[in-house]
Amino acid sequence: EVQLVESGGGLVQPGGSLRLSCVASGFTFSNYGMNWVRQAPGKGLEWVANIKYDGREKYYVASVKGRITISRDNAKNSLYLHMNSLRAEDTAVYYCARDRVPMSRSPFDYWGPGTLVTVSS
Amino acid sequence: DIQMTQSPSTLSASVGDRVTITCRASQSISGWLAWYQQKPGKAPKLLIYKASSLESGVPSRFSGSESGTEFTLTISSLQPDDFASYYCQQYNSYPETFGQGTKVEIK
């Protein structure tokens, strides 16, 4: 059974940093691209970042470029989101999600339950 | 960036109704469109991919169609479990973008 479980969320002050983790199981993690998607309270979904299966290609939404970095450790079946210079508008539930098809344009077929990040003083 | 315009934002319907949600892309996305269902406090669930392909395990009352840059999600006969929010997503190019969402409420 495919499982994704996020951790690392919490309350952080504006300008602070946080690292989110997502541990994967039930599939060959190193074969799949992975994503972070966020949802602000009461709002819609926003794709944040993608990392290809081998970590060599990464893509970001413009609003996080230069502040947020996606990475992965295939030996540990883990995905990360390193967040710096956090702003109030980064407050959201952060989901990790798997590309449905390796190495191709793909929607997201498995999602974790999410971890809440709150940026507030 | 490709903008996805989804409508309506809210839809009131009864069990058994046929429901249609529309998503329009600001430019061609070559059918690289997905639909998700999300219930409160839960992660989204993939329903449809490549505009009209039904994800495994999803009931056949859900269907998707495409006409140029306009995409439609249809629920043929609304069931109690279908009251939720629905989102379209284009995955033709980065940044991938979602529609604003449609909340399907009980009439």
PDB file of all heavy atoms in Angstrom, chain B residues 84-103:
ATOM      1  N   ALA B  84     -18.752  17.598  -1.946  1.00  0.00           N
ATOM      2  CA  ALA B  84     -17.332  17.854  -1.713  1.00  0.00           C
ATOM      3  C   ALA B  84     -16.918  19.029  -2.574  1.00  0.00           C
ATOM      4  O   ALA B  84     -17.741  19.620  -3.275  1.00  0.00           O
ATOM      5  CB  ALA B  84     -16.509  16.616  -2.085  1.00  0.00           C
ATOM      6  N   SER B  85     -15.637  19.361  -2.533  1.00  0.00           N
ATOM      7  CA  SER B  85     -15.075  20.352  -3.440  1.00  0.00           C
ATOM      8  C   SER B  85     -14.313  19.650  -4.551  1.00  0.00           C
ATOM      9  O   SER B  85     -13.725  18.589  -4.335  1.00  0.00           O
ATOM     10  CB  SER B  85     -14.145  21.306  -2.686  1.00  0.00           C
ATOM     11  OG  SER B  85     -14.876  22.096  -1.769  1.00  0.00           O
ATOM     12  N   TYR B  86     -14.337  20.284  -5.721  1.00  0.00           N
ATOM     13  CA  TYR B  86     -13.681  19.705  -6.899  1.00  0.00           C
ATOM     14  C   TYR B  86     -12.735  20.731  -7.511  1.00  0.00           C
ATOM     15  O   TYR B  86     -13.063  21.919  -7.587  1.00  0.00           O
ATOM     16  CB  TYR B  86     -14.730  19.265  -7.926  1.00  0.00           C
ATOM     17  CG  TYR B  86     -15.579  18.127  -7.410  1.00  0.00           C
ATOM     18  CD1 TYR B  86     -16.696  18.374  -6.619  1.00  0.00           C
ATOM     19  CD2 TYR B  86     -15.241  16.801  -7.677  1.00  0.00           C
ATOM     20  CE1 TYR B  86     -17.455  17.331  -6.102  1.00  0.00           C
ATOM     21  CE2 TYR B  86     -15.998  15.749  -7.171  1.00  0.00           C
ATOM     22  CZ  TYR B  86     -17.089  16.029  -6.381  1.00  0.00           C
ATOM     23  OH  TYR B  86     -17.838  14.988  -5.871  1.00  0.00           O
ATOM     24  N   TYR B  87     -11.571  20.258  -7.939  1.00  0.00           N
ATOM     25  CA  TYR B  87     -10.556  21.125  -8.522  1.00  0.00           C
ATOM     26  C   TYR B  87     -10.058  20.535  -9.845  1.00  0.00           C
ATOM     27  O   TYR B  87      -9.837  19.321  -9.939  1.00  0.00           O
ATOM     28  CB  TYR B  87      -9.344  21.265  -7.598  1.00  0.00           C
ATOM     29  CG  TYR B  87      -9.629  21.965  -6.300  1.00  0.00           C
ATOM     30  CD1 TYR B  87     -10.050  21.270  -5.177  1.00  0.00           C
ATOM     31  CD2 TYR B  87      -9.470  23.351  -6.178  1.00  0.00           C
ATOM     32  CE1 TYR B  87     -10.308  21.899  -3.976  1.00  0.00           C
ATOM     33  CE2 TYR B  87      -9.734  24.008  -4.981  1.00  0.00           C
ATOM     34  CZ  TYR B  87     -10.148  23.270  -3.890  1.00  0.00           C
ATOM     35  OH  TYR B  87     -10.408  23.916  -2.704  1.00  0.00           O
ATOM     36  N   CYS B  88      -9.853  21.413 -10.811  1.00  0.00           N
ATOM     37  CA  CYS B  88      -9.140  20.999 -12.013  1.00  0.00           C
ATOM     38  C   CYS B  88      -7.668  21.407 -11.857  1.00  0.00           C
ATOM     39  O   CYS B  88      -7.337  22.284 -11.061  1.00  0.00           O
ATOM     40  CB  CYS B  88      -9.742  21.623 -13.263  1.00  0.00           C
ATOM     41  SG  CYS B  88      -9.657  23.426 -13.348  1.00  0.00           S
ATOM     42  N   GLN B  89      -6.821  20.750 -12.606  1.00  0.00           N
ATOM     43  CA  GLN B  89      -5.373  21.028 -12.585  1.00  0.00           C
ATOM     44  C   GLN B  89      -4.799  20.809 -13.972  1.00  0.00           C
ATOM     45  O   GLN B  89      -5.046  19.780 -14.598  1.00  0.00           O
ATOM     46  CB  GLN B  89      -4.662  20.083 -11.619  1.00  0.00           C
ATOM     47  CG  GLN B  89      -3.144  20.224 -11.593  1.00  0.00           C
ATOM     48  CD  GLN B  89      -2.435  18.897 -11.289  1.00  0.00           C
ATOM     49  OE1 GLN B  89      -3.022  17.817 -11.357  1.00  0.00           O
ATOM     50  NE2 GLN B  89      -1.162  18.974 -10.927  1.00  0.00           N
ATOM     51  N   GLN B  90      -4.017  21.795 -14.443  1.00  0.00           N
ATOM     52  CA  GLN B  90      -3.290  21.565 -15.683  1.00  0.00           C
ATOM     53  C   GLN B  90      -1.873  21.135 -15.331  1.00  0.00           C
ATOM     54  O   GLN B  90      -1.233  21.713 -14.454  1.00  0.00           O
ATOM     55  CB  GLN B  90      -3.296  22.803 -16.599  1.00  0.00           C
ATOM     56  CG  GLN B  90      -2.499  24.012 -16.135  1.00  0.00           C
ATOM     57  CD  GLN B  90      -1.002  23.911 -16.429  1.00  0.00           C
ATOM     58  OE1 GLN B  90      -0.551  23.112 -17.248  1.00  0.00           O
ATOM     59  NE2 GLN B  90      -0.205  24.724 -15.732  1.00  0.00           N
ATOM     60  N   TYR B  91      -1.406  20.096 -16.027  1.00  0.00           N
ATOM     61  CA  TYR B  91      -0.028  19.631 -15.805  1.00  0.00           C
ATOM     62  C   TYR B  91       0.720  19.581 -17.136  1.00  0.00           C
ATOM     63  O   TYR B  91       1.610  18.762 -17.338  1.00  0.00           O
ATOM     64  CB  TYR B  91       0.001  18.303 -15.055  1.00  0.00           C
ATOM     65  CG  TYR B  91      -0.833  17.181 -15.633  1.00  0.00           C
ATOM     66  CD1 TYR B  91      -0.257  16.203 -16.421  1.00  0.00           C
ATOM     67  CD2 TYR B  91      -2.198  17.083 -15.354  1.00  0.00           C
ATOM     68  CE1 TYR B  91      -1.000  15.162 -16.942  1.00  0.00           C
ATOM     69  CE2 TYR B  91      -2.962  16.050 -15.875  1.00  0.00           C
ATOM     70  CZ  TYR B  91      -2.363  15.100 -16.662  1.00  0.00           C
ATOM     71  OH  TYR B  91      -3.116  14.066 -17.176  1.00  0.00           O
ATOM     72  N   ASN B  92       0.318  20.507 -18.028  1.00  0.00           N
ATOM     73  CA  ASN B  92       1.013  20.606 -19.314  1.00  0.00           C
ATOM     74  C   ASN B  92       2.374  21.257 -19.143  1.00  0.00           C
ATOM     75  O   ASN B  92       3.332  20.901 -19.851  1.00  0.00           O
ATOM     76  CB  ASN B  92       0.158  21.431 -20.275  1.00  0.00           C
ATOM     77  CG  ASN B  92       0.835  21.655 -21.604  1.00  0.00           C
ATOM     78  OD1 ASN B  92       0.977  20.735 -22.413  1.00  0.00           O
ATOM     79  ND2 ASN B  92       1.292  22.886 -21.843  1.00  0.00           N
ATOM     80  N   SER B  93       2.457  22.254 -18.264  1.00  0.00           N
ATOM     81  CA  SER B  93       3.712  22.976 -18.114  1.00  0.00           C
ATOM     82  C   SER B  93       3.812  23.560 -16.710  1.00  0.00           C
ATOM     83  O   SER B  93       2.799  23.785 -16.041  1.00  0.00           O
ATOM     84  CB  SER B  93       3.792  24.090 -19.156  1.00  0.00           C
ATOM     85  OG  SER B  93       2.758  25.027 -18.973  1.00  0.00           O
ATOM     86  N   TYR B  94       5.056  23.849 -16.309  1.00  0.00           N
ATOM     87  CA  TYR B  94       5.287  24.457 -15.004  1.00  0.00           C
ATOM     88  C   TYR B  94       5.187  25.982 -15.128  1.00  0.00           C
ATOM     89  O   TYR B  94       5.594  26.559 -16.145  1.00  0.00           O
ATOM     90  CB  TYR B  94       6.672  24.076 -14.479  1.00  0.00           C
ATOM     91  CG  TYR B  94       6.782  22.609 -14.154  1.00  0.00           C
ATOM     92  CD1 TYR B  94       7.551  21.756 -14.937  1.00  0.00           C
ATOM     93  CD2 TYR B  94       6.072  22.060 -13.076  1.00  0.00           C
ATOM     94  CE1 TYR B  94       7.634  20.398 -14.656  1.00  0.00           C
ATOM     95  CE2 TYR B  94       6.152  20.713 -12.789  1.00  0.00           C
ATOM     96  CZ  TYR B  94       6.936  19.888 -13.579  1.00  0.00           C
ATOM     97  OH  TYR B  94       7.013  18.540 -13.302  1.00  0.00           O
ATOM     98  N   PRO B  95       4.633  26.656 -14.107  1.00  0.00           N
ATOM     99  CA  PRO B  95       4.088  26.079 -12.886  1.00  0.00           C
ATOM    100  C   PRO B  95       2.739  25.393 -13.125  1.00  0.00           C
ATOM    101  O   PRO B  95       1.880  25.946 -13.823  1.00  0.00           O
ATOM    102  CB  PRO B  95       3.911  27.291 -11.975  1.00  0.00           C
ATOM    103  CG  PRO B  95       3.649  28.416 -12.928  1.00  0.00           C
ATOM    104  CD  PRO B  95       4.473  28.118 -14.138  1.00  0.00           C
ATOM    105  N   GLU B  96       2.584  24.202 -12.580  1.00  0.00           N
ATOM    106  CA  GLU B  96       1.280  23.550 -12.677  1.00  0.00           C
ATOM    107  C   GLU B  96       0.268  24.393 -11.900  1.00  0.00           C
ATOM    108  O   GLU B  96       0.611  24.961 -10.858  1.00  0.00           O
ATOM    109  CB  GLU B  96       1.372  22.129 -12.140  1.00  0.00           C
ATOM    110  CG  GLU B  96       2.352  21.284 -12.948  1.00  0.00           C
ATOM    111  CD  GLU B  96       2.365  19.823 -12.564  1.00  0.00           C
ATOM    112  OE1 GLU B  96       1.509  19.426 -11.760  1.00  0.00           O
ATOM    113  OE2 GLU B  96       3.226  19.088 -13.070  1.00  0.00           O
ATOM    114  N   THR B  97      -0.933  24.491 -12.404  1.00  0.00           N
ATOM    115  CA  THR B  97      -1.912  25.380 -11.794  1.00  0.00           C
ATOM    116  C   THR B  97      -3.256  24.685 -11.630  1.00  0.00           C
ATOM    117  O   THR B  97      -3.654  23.863 -12.460  1.00  0.00           O
ATOM    118  CB  THR B  97      -2.093  26.659 -12.624  1.00  0.00           C
ATOM    119  OG1 THR B  97      -2.178  26.316 -14.026  1.00  0.00           O
ATOM    120  CG2 THR B  97      -0.915  27.610 -12.432  1.00  0.00           C
ATOM    121  N   PHE B  98      -3.943  25.069 -10.556  1.00  0.00           N
ATOM    122  CA  PHE B  98      -5.261  24.544 -10.245  1.00  0.00           C
ATOM    123  C   PHE B  98      -6.328  25.605 -10.525  1.00  0.00           C
ATOM    124  O   PHE B  98      -6.053  26.820 -10.452  1.00  0.00           O
ATOM    125  CB  PHE B  98      -5.346  24.176  -8.767  1.00  0.00           C
ATOM    126  CG  PHE B  98      -4.541  22.957  -8.370  1.00  0.00           C
ATOM    127  CD1 PHE B  98      -3.211  23.082  -7.975  1.00  0.00           C
ATOM    128  CD2 PHE B  98      -5.115  21.701  -8.375  1.00  0.00           C
ATOM    129  CE1 PHE B  98      -2.464  21.960  -7.601  1.00  0.00           C
ATOM    130  CE2 PHE B  98      -4.389  20.569  -7.998  1.00  0.00           C
ATOM    131  CZ  PHE B  98      -3.061  20.710  -7.614  1.00  0.00           C
ATOM    132  N   GLY B  99      -7.524  25.129 -10.794  1.00  0.00           N
ATOM    133  CA  GLY B  99      -8.667  26.018 -10.794  1.00  0.00           C
ATOM    134  C   GLY B  99      -8.999  26.428  -9.368  1.00  0.00           C
ATOM    135  O   GLY B  99      -8.465  25.877  -8.402  1.00  0.00           O
ATOM    136  N   GLN B 100      -9.909  27.399  -9.243  1.00  0.00           N
ATOM    137  CA  GLN B 100     -10.228  27.965  -7.926  1.00  0.00           C
ATOM    138  C   GLN B 100     -11.077  27.018  -7.077  1.00  0.00           C
ATOM    139  O   GLN B 100     -11.207  27.221  -5.866  1.00  0.00           O
ATOM    140  CB  GLN B 100     -10.980  29.284  -8.098  1.00  0.00           C
ATOM    141  CG  GLN B 100     -10.232  30.324  -8.917  1.00  0.00           C
ATOM    142  CD  GLN B 100     -10.615  30.281 -10.400  1.00  0.00           C
ATOM    143  OE1 GLN B 100     -10.740  29.214 -11.011  1.00  0.00           O
ATOM    144  NE2 GLN B 100     -10.785  31.462 -10.990  1.00  0.00           N
ATOM    145  N   GLY B 101     -11.648  25.995  -7.696  1.00  0.00           N
ATOM    146  CA  GLY B 101     -12.448  25.033  -6.966  1.00  0.00           C
ATOM    147  C   GLY B 101     -13.941  25.254  -7.105  1.00  0.00           C
ATOM    148  O   GLY B 101     -14.397  26.381  -7.319  1.00  0.00           O
ATOM    149  N   THR B 102     -14.696  24.154  -6.985  1.00  0.00           N
ATOM    150  CA  THR B 102     -16.158  24.191  -6.992  1.00  0.00           C
ATOM    151  C   THR B 102     -16.653  23.386  -5.807  1.00  0.00           C
ATOM    152  O   THR B 102     -16.308  22.206  -5.662  1.00  0.00           O
ATOM    153  CB  THR B 102     -16.723  23.572  -8.280  1.00  0.00           C
ATOM    154  OG1 THR B 102     -16.319  24.363  -9.402  1.00  0.00           O
ATOM    155  CG2 THR B 102     -18.251  23.503  -8.217  1.00  0.00           C
ATOM    156  N   LYS B 103     -17.433  24.030  -4.966  1.00  0.00           N
ATOM    157  CA  LYS B 103     -18.006  23.331  -3.830  1.00  0.00           C
ATOM    158  C   LYS B 103     -19.402  22.848  -4.206  1.00  0.00           C
ATOM    159  O   LYS B 103     -20.263  23.663  -4.571  1.00  0.00           O
ATOM    160  CB  LYS B 103     -18.080  24.230  -2.598  1.00  0.00           C
ATOM    161  CG  LYS B 103     -18.555  23.512  -1.344  1.00  0.00           C
ATOM    162  CD  LYS B 103     -18.490  24.418  -0.125  1.00  0.00           C
ATOM    163  CE  LYS B 103     -18.915  23.695   1.138  1.00  0.00           C
ATOM    164  NZ  LYS B 103     -18.858  24.564   2.334  1.00  0.00           N
TER     165      LYS B 103
END
